[in-house]
Amino acid sequence: MAKVMEGLYYSESHEYVRVEGNIGFIGISDYAQNALGNVVYVDMPEVDDEVTAGEEFGAVESVKAASDLIAPVTGVVVEVNEALEDQPELINNDAYANWIIKVELSDKSELDSLMDAKAYAAFCEK
């Protein structure tokens, strides 16, 4: 069973958001990295790019598949996790510690449409 962390918001496309103030840390869930297998490349947007909830903002590639990253929230990218450029496998080591992008949230009410840990765990069991 994949690890689901409390206190995060989850999307049906298996991205998570950890919120600190007005900043959202976006990454993929443990379930997603487990399904993908060994991550070999992460395609990320640039700082100052805008991401829109429900739209693609990058991709994660593994030895067996490539998966689009879908933004769970709308905002402006304030930082990308540059460590993933050289060590994409960090996502496999700990998907929750190794976020992909940080965004300044445009509309915190979008979080209401995401799942909490309990709902996401149930969603993953389907």
Side-chain angles (χ1 to χ4, degrees), residues 15-117:
E15 288 82 15
Y16 68 80
V17 185
R18 184 176 85 238
V19 178
E20 292 181 9
N22 203 36
I23 301 296
F25 295 73
I26 299 174
I28 64 169
S29 70
D30 191 51
Y31 179 92
Q33 73 77 22
N34 211 21
L36 278 167
N38 295 333
V39 175
V40 294
Y41 179 71
V42 182
D43 179 33
M44 298 176 274
E46 304 282 323
V47 170
D48 292 333
D49 282 357
E50 188 161 329
V51 297
T52 303
E55 294 186 10
E56 182 186 332
F57 71 86
V60 175
E61 293 178 22
S62 71
V63 290
K64 60 183 181 181
S67 181
D68 290 339
L69 293 166
I70 307 298
V73 291
T74 302
V76 175
V77 178
V78 293
E79 189 178 339
V80 297
N81 188 345
E82 293 179 2
L84 298 177
E85 290 173 7
D86 297 325
Q87 296 179 288
E89 69 278 2
L90 289 170
I91 289 177
N92 294 122
N93 298 346
D94 188 338
Y96 298 115
N98 293 288
W99 49 271
I100 297 169
I101 58 172
K102 281 188 204 176
V103 299
E104 187 169 339
L105 301 172
S106 298
D107 182 0
K108 276 187 148 175
S109 71
E110 289 177 338
L111 297 169
D112 298 339
S113 66
L114 299 171
M115 293 176 273
D116 64 10

